[in-house]
Amino acid sequence: MAIVVQKYGGSSVADAIKIKNVAQRIADTRNKGDSVVAVVSAMGDTTDELLELAYQVNKHPSERELDVLLSTGEIVSSTLLAMALKTMGYEAISLSGAQAGIRTDAAFSRARILQVDSKRVVKELDKGNIVIVAGFQGITEDMDITTLGRGGSDTTAVALAISLGAKVCQIYTDVDGVYTADPRLVPDAQKLVEIGYEEMLELASYGAKVMHPRAVELGELFNLPILVASSFNNSSGTLIHGGTSMEVRNKVKSIAYNLDIAKITVVGVPDSPGIATAIFQPLAAAGISVDTIVQNASINNITDLTFTVAKSQLTKAMHLVESIAKSIGARECVSAANLGEVSVVGTGMQNTPGYAAKMFSTLSKQGINIQLITTSEVRITCIIDETKVKDAVRALHLAFELELE
Ligand code: ADP
Ligand code: ASP
Ligand code: MG
């Protein structure tokens, strides 16, 4: 009897009828004779609603309390799903992240899984139970509840699949796979049959929220294939894997976008050793994650340093950077919160000239000004005005002929 690990996202369990639908899909898998572990997200927009409630009672809620609060969303969906399975005549038990042995570090709201102690899950499977695990959460050594970052239930599922020795982790969501662009934005987007870990990680990290980046990272580390498919139909999904049989095409694979970009520029920075550390170390210590960093060529030993953060972290980051700027003798700090980014991704671009030029000319034809550019071996990202991002995605999808995928 194989162990099948499935994950159902928030929109797949948004109401009682959808929970019953998911219960039926789990039951169908069980009926094939497999042991089933199902990881669930909170119902619909529960996590956003809980966050909003927290900020209504306290403008600066404690991170510890916030994590306990948010973890309850997944407790609700997991218990309801177990109840639904029981009325259908199946043996089922729900487990919180802590009960399922998800041990994390103590970085509240972005905790990393240190270890999965799957003893309890295995014990329940051995008893014949279908095990429903509350996603997105874990527990520290000090028994504090943590959450893994928004979208983190994918990571719970992949970590459990690895620890239980499953052959694949099945991620069921509200689209039937990974597309050449967000299908809600680009109607012509095509479903990919397969995609490599490296490309998927770039897409997820640069805004394609169909997968949590850390879930992809874990899958790659342990070479666990991940299937992304629909929880509403049975069409074949997209397999994320590292197989060598994959065709490397001289082509862009998919386009991602992210509207959550703010920019800070420290103007007139003395160009001397230790300056970058003086700025970025305190930001890291405050848990602010910095993405793109660009330093201008210096003139007379004075330079400008620009970097991006999530919009929600701009106020906190500006506060820190303003005091650092004073201490290092920089002239001023300026910020902009109206940005977004668009990325083209594909291993086919590696060592092939012309992709960057095509991206820039496409944006220019749309009258879109590029503010910052970053690249990796398999990605080109342009930071632009947030109001232009969606047009940029559609224009790039057309320019790279992804509708013909
Ligand atoms: P879940 O609640 O199941 O975790 P998410 O909302 O986190 O689902 O992720 C699914 C969503 O990801 C889709 O509804 C789609 O709008 C979005 N998405 C963004 N980029 C892509 C892409 N390239 N392929 C498929 N879906 C994408
Ligand atoms: N419920 C959490 C969120 O909305 C985790 C998840 O859905 O994966 O981010
Ligand atoms: Mg998700």
Side-chain angles (χ1 to χ4, degrees), residues 114-135:
L114 299 176
Q115 193 205 338
V116 180
D117 175 1
S118 51
K119 272 200 300 288
R120 176 73 190 272
V121 174
V122 171
K123 191 168 128 195
E124 298 301 339
L125 289 175
D126 287 347
K127 280 198 248 170
N129 272 316
I130 294 171
V131 180
I132 312 295
V133 177

Side-chain angles (χ1 to χ4, degrees), residues 39-61:
V39 174
V40 272
S41 293
M43 295 169 69
D45 297 328
T46 302
T47 310
D48 289 329
E49 288 159 10
L50 290 172
L51 262 176
E52 208 179 298
L53 261 181
Y55 286 101
Q56 275 175 27
V57 297
N58 185 333
K59 285 209 168 60
H60 305 286

Side-chain angles (χ1 to χ4, degrees), residues 7 10 41-42 47 74 136 149-154:
K7 179 252 167 180
S41 293
T47 310
E74 272 70 9
F136 174 57
R150 298 305 304 268
S153 299
D154 297 339

